Coordinates of all heavy atoms in Angstrom, one line a residue:
M6 N 0.9 -1.1 0.0 CA 0.0 0.0 0.0 C 0.9 1.2 0.0 O 2.1 1.2 0.4 CB -0.8 0.0 1.3 CG -0.2 0.0 2.5 SD -1.3 -0.3 3.9 CE -1.3 -2.2 3.8
A7 N 0.4 2.2 -0.5 CA 1.0 3.5 -0.4 C 1.1 4.0 1.1 O 0.4 3.4 2.0 CB 0.2 4.7 -1.1
L8 N 2.1 4.8 1.4 CA 2.4 5.3 2.8 C 1.8 6.6 3.0 O 1.5 7.3 2.0 CB 3.8 5.3 3.1 CG 4.6 3.8 3.0 CD1 5.9 3.9 3.4 CD2 3.8 2.9 3.6
L9 N 1.6 7.1 4.2 CA 0.9 8.2 4.5 C 1.7 8.9 5.7 O 2.3 8.4 6.5 CB -0.5 7.8 5.2 CG -1.3 9.0 5.8 CD1 -1.9 9.7 4.5 CD2 -2.5 8.3 6.4
I10 N 1.9 10.3 5.5 CA 2.5 11.1 6.5 C 1.4 11.7 7.5 O 0.5 12.3 7.0 CB 3.5 12.1 5.8 CG1 4.5 11.5 5.0 CG2 4.0 13.2 6.9 CD1 5.3 12.6 4.1
T11 N 1.7 11.5 8.7 CA 0.6 11.9 9.8 C 1.1 13.2 10.2 O 2.0 13.9 9.9 CB 0.8 10.9 11.0 OG1 1.9 11.2 11.7 CG2 0.6 9.5 10.6
D12 N 0.1 13.8 11.1 CA 0.3 15.2 11.6 C 1.5 15.3 12.4 O 1.8 16.4 12.8 CB -0.9 15.6 12.5 CG -2.1 15.7 11.6 OD1 -2.0 15.7 10.5 OD2 -3.3 15.7 12.2
E13 N 2.2 14.3 12.9 CA 3.4 14.4 13.7 C 4.6 15.0 12.8 O 5.6 15.4 13.4 CB 3.8 13.0 14.2 CG 2.7 12.2 14.7 CD 2.3 12.6 16.1 OE1 3.3 12.7 17.0 OE2 1.1 12.9 16.4
C14 N 4.5 15.0 11.5 CA 5.6 15.5 10.6 C 6.0 16.9 11.1 O 5.2 17.7 11.4 CB 5.0 15.5 9.2 SG 6.1 16.2 8.1
I15 N 7.4 16.9 11.1 CA 7.9 18.3 11.6 C 8.6 19.0 10.3 O 9.3 20.1 10.5 CB 9.1 18.0 12.7 CG1 10.1 17.2 12.2 CG2 8.4 17.6 14.0 CD1 11.4 17.0 13.0
A16 N 8.2 18.5 9.2 CA 8.6 19.2 7.9 C 10.3 19.4 7.8 O 10.7 20.4 7.5 CB 7.8 20.6 7.6
C17 N 10.8 18.4 8.1 CA 12.4 18.5 8.2 C 12.9 18.3 6.9 O 14.1 18.6 6.6 CB 13.0 17.5 9.1 SG 12.9 15.8 8.5
D18 N 12.2 17.8 5.8 CA 12.7 17.6 4.5 C 13.6 16.4 4.3 O 14.1 16.1 3.2 CB 13.4 18.8 4.0 CG 13.3 18.9 2.4 OD1 12.3 18.6 1.9 OD2 14.5 19.2 1.9
A19 N 13.8 15.6 5.2 CA 14.8 14.4 5.2 C 14.3 13.4 4.2 O 15.1 12.7 3.5 CB 15.0 13.8 6.5
C20 N 13.0 13.1 4.1 CA 12.4 12.1 3.3 C 12.3 12.4 1.9 O 12.6 11.4 1.0 CB 11.0 11.7 3.8 SG 10.0 13.2 3.9
R21 N 12.0 13.7 1.6 CA 11.8 13.9 0.2 C 12.8 13.5 -0.9 O 12.7 12.9 -1.8 CB 11.5 15.5 0.0 CG 11.0 16.0 -1.4 CD 10.6 17.4 -1.3 NE 11.6 18.2 -0.8 CZ 12.7 18.7 -1.6 NH1 12.6 18.3 -2.8 NH2 13.8 19.4 -1.1
E22 N 14.1 13.9 -0.6 CA 15.2 13.5 -1.5 C 15.4 12.0 -1.6 O 16.0 11.6 -2.6 CB 16.5 14.2 -1.1 CG 16.5 15.7 -1.3 CD 16.9 16.1 -2.6 OE1 17.9 15.6 -3.1 OE2 16.1 16.9 -3.3
E23 N 15.0 11.2 -0.5 CA 15.3 9.8 -0.5 C 14.4 9.1 -1.3 O 14.6 7.9 -1.6 CB 15.3 9.4 0.9 CG 16.2 9.9 2.0 CD 17.6 9.7 1.5 OE1 18.0 8.6 1.1 OE2 18.5 10.6 1.7
C24 N 13.2 9.7 -1.6 CA 12.2 8.9 -2.4 C 12.6 8.6 -3.9 O 12.8 9.5 -4.6 CB 10.9 9.6 -2.3 SG 9.5 8.6 -3.2
P25 N 12.6 7.3 -4.3 CA 13.1 7.1 -5.7 C 12.0 7.3 -6.7 O 12.2 7.4 -7.9 CB 13.4 5.5 -5.6 CG 12.5 5.1 -4.4 CD 12.4 6.2 -3.5
N26 N 10.7 7.6 -6.2 CA 9.8 7.9 -7.2 C 9.2 9.3 -7.2 O 8.1 9.6 -7.7 CB 8.5 7.0 -6.7 CG 8.8 5.5 -7.0 OD1 9.5 5.2 -7.9 ND2 8.3 4.6 -6.1
E27 N 9.9 10.1 -6.5 CA 9.6 11.6 -6.3 C 8.0 11.6 -6.0 O 7.2 12.4 -6.5 CB 9.8 12.2 -7.6 CG 11.2 12.3 -8.0 CD 11.4 13.1 -9.3 OE1 10.5 13.6 -9.9 OE2 12.7 13.1 -9.7
A28 N 7.7 10.9 -5.0 CA 6.4 10.7 -4.4 C 6.1 11.7 -3.3 O 4.9 11.9 -3.0 CB 6.0 9.3 -4.0
I29 N 7.1 12.3 -2.8 CA 6.9 13.1 -1.6 C 7.1 14.6 -1.9 O 7.9 15.0 -2.6 CB 7.9 12.8 -0.5 CG1 7.9 11.3 -0.1 CG2 7.8 13.5 0.9 CD1 9.0 10.8 0.9
E30 N 6.1 15.4 -1.5 CA 6.1 16.8 -1.7 C 6.0 17.6 -0.5 O 5.3 17.2 0.5 CB 4.9 17.1 -2.6 CG 5.2 16.8 -4.1 CD 4.0 17.2 -4.8 OE1 3.4 18.3 -4.6 OE2 3.7 16.6 -5.9
E31 N 6.6 18.7 -0.5 CA 6.5 19.7 0.7 C 5.0 20.3 0.6 O 4.5 20.6 -0.4 CB 7.5 20.9 0.5 CG 7.5 21.8 1.7 CD 8.4 22.9 1.6 OE1 9.2 22.9 0.6 OE2 8.5 23.8 2.4
N32 N 4.4 20.3 1.8 CA 2.9 20.9 1.8 C 2.9 21.7 3.0 O 3.8 21.6 3.9 CB 2.0 19.7 1.6 CG 0.6 20.4 1.1 OD1 0.5 21.4 0.8 ND2 -0.4 19.4 1.1
D33 N 1.8 22.4 3.2 CA 1.7 23.2 4.5 C 0.6 22.6 5.4 O -0.5 22.6 4.8 CB 1.4 24.6 3.9 CG 1.4 25.7 5.1 OD1 2.0 25.3 6.2 OD2 0.9 26.7 5.0
P34 N 0.8 22.4 6.6 CA 2.1 22.5 7.3 C 3.0 21.1 7.2 O 4.0 21.2 7.7 CB 1.5 22.7 8.8 CG 0.3 21.9 8.8 CD -0.4 22.0 7.3
I35 N 2.4 20.0 6.7 CA 3.1 18.8 6.7 C 3.4 18.3 5.2 O 2.7 18.8 4.4 CB 2.5 17.6 7.5 CG1 1.1 17.4 6.9 CG2 2.4 18.1 8.9 CD1 0.6 16.1 7.4
Y36 N 4.4 17.4 5.2 CA 4.7 16.9 3.8 C 3.7 15.8 3.5 O 3.0 15.3 4.3 CB 6.1 16.2 3.9 CG 7.1 17.2 3.6 CD1 7.2 18.4 4.5 CD2 8.3 17.0 2.7 CE1 8.2 19.3 4.2 CE2 9.3 17.9 2.6 CZ 9.3 19.0 3.4 OH 10.3 20.0 3.2
I37 N 3.6 15.6 2.1 CA 2.5 14.6 1.7 C 3.1 13.6 0.7 O 4.1 13.9 0.0 CB 1.3 15.3 1.0 CG1 1.7 16.3 -0.1 CG2 0.4 16.0 2.1 CD1 0.5 16.7 -1.0
I38 N 2.6 12.5 0.7 CA 2.9 11.4 -0.2 C 1.9 11.2 -1.2 O 0.7 11.1 -0.9 CB 3.2 10.0 0.5 CG1 4.4 10.3 1.4 CG2 3.3 8.9 -0.5 CD1 4.6 9.0 2.3
D39 N 2.2 11.2 -2.6 CA 1.3 11.0 -3.6 C 1.0 9.5 -3.8 O 2.0 8.8 -4.0 CB 1.8 11.6 -5.0 CG 1.0 11.3 -6.1 OD1 0.0 10.6 -6.0 OD2 1.2 11.8 -7.1
P40 N -0.2 9.0 -3.5 CA -0.4 7.5 -3.5 C -0.3 6.8 -4.8 O 0.0 5.7 -5.0 CB -1.9 7.3 -2.9 CG -2.4 8.7 -3.1 CD -1.4 9.8 -3.0
D41 N -0.3 7.7 -5.9 CA -0.1 7.2 -7.2 C 1.2 6.9 -7.6 O 1.6 6.3 -8.5 CB -0.7 8.2 -8.3 CG -2.3 8.2 -8.1 OD1 -2.9 7.2 -7.6 OD2 -2.9 9.2 -8.6
R42 N 2.1 7.5 -6.8 CA 3.6 7.3 -7.1 C 4.4 6.5 -6.0 O 5.6 6.1 -6.2 CB 4.3 8.8 -7.1 CG 3.7 9.6 -8.2 CD 4.6 10.8 -8.4 NE 5.9 10.5 -9.0 CZ 6.1 10.3 -10.4 NH1 5.2 10.4 -11.2 NH2 7.4 10.0 -10.7
C43 N 3.8 6.3 -4.7 CA 4.4 5.6 -3.7 C 4.3 4.1 -4.0 O 3.2 3.5 -4.1 CB 3.8 6.0 -2.3 SG 4.6 4.9 -1.0
T44 N 5.4 3.5 -4.2 CA 5.3 1.8 -4.4 C 5.9 1.1 -3.1 O 6.2 0.1 -3.1 CB 6.3 1.5 -5.6 OG1 7.6 1.9 -5.2 CG2 5.9 2.1 -6.8
E45 N 5.9 1.9 -2.0 CA 6.6 1.4 -0.7 C 8.0 1.1 -1.1 O 8.6 0.2 -0.4 CB 5.9 0.1 -0.2 CG 4.5 0.4 0.6 CD 4.0 -0.7 1.3 OE1 4.7 -1.3 2.0 OE2 2.8 -1.0 0.9
C46 N 8.5 1.7 -2.1 CA 9.9 1.5 -2.6 C 10.2 0.2 -3.2 O 11.3 -0.2 -3.6 CB 11.0 1.7 -1.4 SG 11.3 3.4 -1.1
V47 N 9.0 -0.6 -3.5 CA 9.1 -1.8 -4.2 C 9.7 -1.4 -5.6 O 9.3 -0.5 -6.3 CB 7.8 -2.5 -4.4 CG1 7.7 -3.5 -5.4 CG2 7.4 -3.1 -3.1
G48 N 10.6 -2.3 -6.1 CA 11.3 -2.1 -7.4 C 12.7 -1.3 -7.2 O 13.6 -1.4 -8.1
H49 N 12.9 -0.7 -6.1 CA 14.1 0.1 -5.8 C 14.8 -0.3 -4.6 O 16.1 -0.5 -4.7 CB 13.8 1.6 -5.7 CG 13.2 2.4 -6.8 ND1 14.0 2.7 -7.8 CD2 11.9 2.6 -7.2 CE1 13.1 3.3 -8.8 NE2 11.9 3.3 -8.4
F50 N 14.1 -0.5 -3.5 CA 14.8 -0.9 -2.2 C 14.1 -2.0 -1.5 O 12.9 -2.1 -1.7 CB 15.0 0.4 -1.4 CG 15.8 1.5 -1.9 CD1 15.1 2.6 -2.5 CD2 17.1 1.5 -2.1 CE1 15.8 3.6 -3.0 CE2 17.9 2.4 -2.6 CZ 17.2 3.6 -3.1
D51 N 14.7 -2.6 -0.5 CA 14.0 -3.6 0.3 C 13.1 -3.1 1.5 O 12.2 -3.9 1.8 CB 15.1 -4.4 1.0 CG 15.9 -5.3 -0.1 OD1 15.3 -5.6 -1.1 OD2 17.0 -5.8 0.3
E52 N 13.2 -1.7 1.6 CA 12.4 -1.2 2.7 C 12.2 0.3 2.3 O 12.8 0.8 1.7 CB 13.0 -1.3 4.1 CG 14.4 -0.6 4.2 CD 14.9 -0.7 5.5 OE1 14.4 -1.4 6.5 OE2 15.9 0.3 5.8
P53 N 11.0 0.8 2.7 CA 10.7 2.2 2.5 C 11.8 3.2 3.0 O 12.0 3.2 4.2 CB 9.3 2.4 3.2 CG 8.7 1.1 3.3 CD 9.8 0.1 3.5
Q54 N 12.4 3.9 2.1 CA 13.5 4.8 2.5 C 13.0 5.9 3.3 O 13.7 6.4 4.2 CB 14.1 5.3 1.1 CG 14.8 4.2 0.3 CD 15.8 3.4 1.1 OE1 16.9 4.0 1.3 NE2 15.5 2.1 1.4
C55 N 11.8 6.5 3.1 CA 11.3 7.5 3.9 C 11.2 7.2 5.3 O 11.5 8.0 6.2 CB 10.0 8.0 3.3 SG 8.7 6.8 3.1
I56 N 10.7 5.9 5.7 CA 10.6 5.5 6.9 C 11.9 5.5 7.6 O 12.1 5.8 8.8 CB 9.7 4.2 7.1 CG1 8.3 4.4 6.7 CG2 9.9 3.6 8.5 CD1 7.5 3.1 6.8
A57 N 12.8 5.0 6.8 CA 14.2 4.7 7.4 C 14.9 6.0 7.8 O 15.6 6.1 8.7 CB 15.1 4.1 6.4
V58 N 14.5 7.1 7.1 CA 15.2 8.5 7.5 C 14.4 9.3 8.4 O 14.8 10.3 9.0 CB 15.6 9.3 6.2 CG1 16.6 8.4 5.4 CG2 14.4 9.7 5.5
C59 N 13.0 9.1 8.5 CA 12.2 10.0 9.3 C 12.5 10.1 10.7 O 12.5 9.0 11.5 CB 10.7 9.6 9.1 SG 9.6 10.7 9.9
P60 N 12.8 11.2 11.3 CA 13.4 11.4 12.6 C 12.2 11.1 13.7 O 12.4 10.9 14.9 CB 14.0 12.7 12.8 CG 13.3 13.6 11.7 CD 12.9 12.5 10.5
V61 N 11.0 11.3 13.3 CA 9.9 11.4 14.3 C 8.9 10.0 14.0 O 7.9 10.1 14.6 CB 9.1 12.7 14.3 CG1 10.0 13.8 14.9 CG2 8.6 13.0 13.0
D62 N 9.3 9.3 13.1 CA 8.6 8.1 12.8 C 7.0 8.4 12.6 O 6.1 7.9 13.2 CB 8.6 7.1 14.0 CG 10.0 6.4 14.1 OD1 10.7 6.4 13.2 OD2 10.3 6.1 15.3
C63 N 6.8 9.2 11.7 CA 5.4 9.7 11.4 C 5.0 9.2 10.1 O 3.9 9.6 9.6 CB 5.3 11.2 11.5 SG 6.2 12.1 10.1
I64 N 5.6 8.2 9.4 CA 5.1 7.7 8.2 C 4.6 6.4 8.4 O 5.2 5.4 9.0 CB 6.3 7.7 7.2 CG1 6.9 9.0 7.1 CG2 5.8 7.2 5.8 CD1 8.1 9.2 6.1
I65 N 3.3 6.1 8.0 CA 2.6 4.8 8.3 C 1.9 4.3 7.0 O 1.9 5.0 6.0 CB 1.5 5.0 9.4 CG1 0.4 6.1 8.8 CG2 2.0 5.5 10.7 CD1 -0.9 6.2 9.7
S66 N 1.4 3.1 7.1 CA 0.8 2.6 5.9 C -0.6 3.3 5.9 O -1.3 3.5 6.8 CB 0.5 1.1 6.1 OG 1.7 0.4 6.1
D67 N -1.0 3.6 4.6 CA -2.1 4.3 4.4 C -3.5 3.4 4.3 O -3.5 2.6 3.2 CB -2.1 5.1 3.0 CG -3.3 6.0 2.8 OD1 -4.3 5.9 3.6 OD2 -3.3 6.8 1.8
P68 N -4.3 3.4 5.3 CA -5.4 2.4 5.3 C -6.3 2.5 4.1 O -7.1 1.7 3.6 CB -6.1 2.6 6.6 CG -5.7 4.0 7.0 CD -4.2 4.3 6.4
D69 N -6.3 3.7 3.4 CA -7.3 4.0 2.4 C -6.7 3.7 1.0 O -7.3 3.7 -0.1 CB -7.6 5.5 2.2 CG -8.4 6.0 3.5 OD1 -9.2 5.1 3.9 OD2 -8.5 7.1 3.9
N70 N -5.4 3.2 1.1 CA -4.7 2.8 -0.2 C -3.9 1.4 -0.2 O -2.7 1.4 -0.2 CB -3.6 3.9 -0.6 CG -4.3 5.1 -1.2 OD1 -4.9 5.0 -2.3 ND2 -4.3 6.1 -0.7
V71 N -4.7 0.4 0.3 CA -4.1 -0.9 0.5 C -3.9 -1.6 -0.9 O -4.7 -1.7 -1.7 CB -5.1 -1.8 1.4 CG1 -4.6 -3.1 1.5 CG2 -5.5 -1.1 2.7
E72 N -2.6 -2.0 -1.0 CA -2.2 -2.6 -2.2 C -1.3 -3.8 -1.9 O -0.5 -3.7 -1.0 CB -1.4 -1.7 -3.1 CG -2.2 -0.5 -3.7 CD -1.3 0.7 -4.0 OE1 -0.6 1.1 -3.2 OE2 -1.4 1.0 -5.3
N73 N -1.5 -4.9 -2.8 CA -0.6 -6.0 -2.5 C 0.8 -5.8 -3.3 O 0.9 -4.9 -4.1 CB -1.3 -7.4 -2.8 CG -1.7 -7.5 -4.3 OD1 -1.1 -7.0 -5.2 ND2 -2.7 -8.3 -4.5
I74 N 1.7 -6.8 -3.1 CA 2.9 -6.7 -3.8 C 2.8 -6.7 -5.3 O 3.6 -5.9 -6.0 CB 3.9 -7.8 -3.3 CG1 5.3 -7.6 -3.8 CG2 3.3 -9.2 -3.7 CD1 6.1 -6.6 -3.1
E75 N 1.9 -7.3 -5.8 CA 1.7 -7.4 -7.3 C 1.4 -6.0 -7.7 O 1.8 -5.6 -8.8 CB 0.7 -8.4 -7.7 CG 1.0 -9.9 -7.3 CD 2.5 -10.2 -7.9 OE1 2.9 -9.8 -9.0 OE2 3.2 -11.0 -7.1
E76 N 0.5 -5.5 -7.1 CA -0.1 -4.2 -7.4 C 1.1 -3.0 -7.3 O 1.2 -2.1 -8.1 CB -1.3 -3.8 -6.7 CG -2.5 -4.5 -6.9 CD -3.6 -4.3 -5.9 OE1 -3.4 -4.5 -4.7 OE2 -4.7 -4.0 -6.3
L77 N 1.8 -3.2 -6.3 CA 3.0 -2.2 -6.1 C 4.0 -2.4 -7.2 O 4.6 -1.4 -7.8 CB 3.6 -2.5 -4.8 CG 2.8 -2.0 -3.6 CD1 3.3 -2.6 -2.3 CD2 2.6 -0.5 -3.5
K78 N 4.3 -3.7 -7.7 CA 5.1 -3.9 -8.8 C 4.5 -3.3 -10.1 O 5.3 -2.7 -10.8 CB 5.4 -5.4 -9.0 CG 6.3 -5.9 -8.0 CD 6.6 -7.4 -8.2 CE 7.5 -8.1 -7.2 NZ 7.4 -9.6 -7.2
F79 N 3.3 -3.4 -10.3 CA 2.6 -2.9 -11.4 C 2.9 -1.3 -11.5 O 3.1 -0.7 -12.6 CB 1.2 -3.3 -11.4 CG 0.4 -2.9 -12.7 CD1 0.6 -3.5 -13.9 CD2 -0.5 -1.8 -12.6 CE1 -0.1 -2.9 -15.1 CE2 -1.2 -1.4 -13.8 CZ -1.0 -2.0 -14.9
K80 N 2.5 -0.8 -10.3 CA 2.8 0.7 -10.2 C 4.2 1.1 -10.5 O 4.3 2.0 -11.3 CB 2.3 1.2 -9.0 CG 2.2 2.6 -8.7 CD 1.9 3.1 -7.2 CE 0.8 2.6 -6.5 NZ 0.7 3.2 -5.1
Y81 N 5.1 0.3 -10.1 CA 6.5 0.6 -10.3 C 6.8 0.6 -11.8 O 7.4 1.5 -12.4 CB 7.4 -0.4 -9.6 CG 8.8 -0.5 -10.0 CD1 9.7 0.4 -9.7 CD2 9.3 -1.5 -10.8 CE1 11.1 0.4 -10.3 CE2 10.6 -1.6 -11.3 CZ 11.4 -0.5 -10.9 OH 12.8 -0.6 -11.5
E82 N 6.3 -0.4 -12.4 CA 6.5 -0.6 -13.8 C 5.9 0.6 -14.7 O 6.4 1.1 -15.7 CB 6.0 -2.0 -14.4 CG 7.0 -3.0 -14.0 CD 6.4 -4.4 -14.0 OE1 5.3 -4.7 -14.5 OE2 7.0 -5.3 -13.4
K83 N 4.7 1.0 -14.4 CA 4.0 2.1 -14.9 C 4.9 3.5 -14.8 O 5.0 4.2 -15.7 CB 2.7 2.4 -14.3 CG 1.7 1.4 -14.7 CD 1.5 1.3 -16.3 CE 0.2 1.4 -16.8 NZ 0.1 1.1 -18.3
L84 N 5.4 3.6 -13.6 CA 6.3 4.7 -13.4 C 7.5 4.7 -14.3 O 7.9 5.8 -14.7 CB 6.6 4.9 -12.0 CG 5.4 5.2 -11.0 CD1 5.9 5.1 -9.5 CD2 5.0 6.7 -11.1
Q85 N 8.0 3.6 -14.4 CA 9.3 3.5 -15.2 C 8.9 3.9 -16.7 O 9.7 4.6 -17.3 CB 9.8 2.0 -15.3 CG 10.3 1.6 -13.9 CD 11.3 2.6 -13.2 OE1 11.0 3.2 -12.3 NE2 12.5 2.6 -13.8
E86 N 7.8 3.6 -17.2 CA 7.4 3.8 -18.6 C 7.2 5.4 -18.7 O 7.5 5.9 -19.9 CB 6.0 3.3 -18.8 CG 6.1 1.7 -19.1 CD 4.7 1.1 -19.2 OE1 3.6 1.7 -19.3 OE2 4.6 -0.3 -19.0
E87 N 6.9 6.1 -17.6 CA 6.9 7.5 -17.7 C 8.2 8.2 -17.9 O 8.2 9.3 -18.5 CB 6.3 8.1 -16.3 CG 4.8 8.1 -16.2 CD 4.5 8.8 -14.8 OE1 5.3 9.4 -14.2 OE2 3.3 8.4 -14.4
E88 N 9.3 7.5 -17.5 CA 10.6 8.2 -17.5 C 11.2 8.1 -18.9 O 10.8 7.4 -19.8 CB 11.4 7.6 -16.5 CG 11.1 8.1 -15.1 CD 11.6 7.4 -13.9 OE1 12.6 6.6 -14.3 OE2 11.3 7.6 -12.9
Ligands
SF4_112 S1 7.8 4.3 0.6 FE1 9.5 4.8 -0.9 S2 8.2 5.3 -2.7 FE2 6.8 5.5 -1.0 S3 7.0 7.6 -0.4 FE3 8.4 6.4 0.9 S4 10.4 6.8 -0.2 FE4 8.8 7.2 -1.7
SF4_113 S1 11.3 12.8 7.3 FE1 9.3 12.6 8.5 S2 9.3 14.7 9.7 FE2 10.8 14.9 8.1 S3 9.5 15.9 6.3 FE3 9.5 13.6 6.0 S4 7.7 12.9 7.1 FE4 8.0 14.9 7.9

């Protein structure tokens, strides 16, 4: 599933550059993840890079965007076609 940034976000900017899919954007007051671009890092890394760097652990699975591994791989392949 795509991931979600909660209100705990302190807008530190650590995650944005780490995202291989350019799915994270600065927003006011917290950062946001585009569910159409977040593959949970499937296709790039073994674990979500944003969660690994977030200093306040405010990135969670998005209950409204539940996807299985096949769907995440499909999304990854679609994003590759865009480039
Ligand atoms: S899990 Fe990966 S693809 Fe999704 S927002 Fe975080 S860094 Fe980007
Ligand atoms: S790393 Fe965490 S606290 Fe920093 S901008 Fe990203 S989500 Fe917010």
Side-chain angles (χ1 to χ4, degrees):
M6 63 193 83
L8 300 187
L9 178 73
I10 296 175
T11 70
D12 293 347
E13 313 284 304
C14 172
I15 57 170
C17 73
D18 201 48
C20 57
R21 189 174 51 84
E22 292 271 313
E23 299 298 324
C24 179
N26 294 326
E27 296 181 7
I29 304 175
E30 284 179 32
E31 186 178 357
N32 205 4
D33 185 20
I35 62 169
Y36 278 48
I37 53 169
I38 293 174
D39 179 351
D41 292 333
R42 300 191 68 86
C43 176
T44 64
E45 280 186 59
C46 284
V47 165
H49 293 280
F50 300 101
D51 290 339
E52 60 176 10
Q54 299 300 289
C55 53
I56 290 180
V58 299
C59 181
V61 294
D62 294 333
C63 68
I64 305 174
I65 62 170
S66 295
D67 183 351
D69 292 331
N70 282 296
V71 178
E72 293 157 299
N73 64 30
I74 187 76
E75 298 307 323
E76 290 170 310
L77 291 169
K78 280 184 185 160
F79 182 73
K80 195 195 292 186
Y81 164 76
E82 280 157 20
K83 286 304 230 188
L84 288 170
Q85 296 307 107
E86 285 170 16
E87 273 180 23
E88 286 170 9

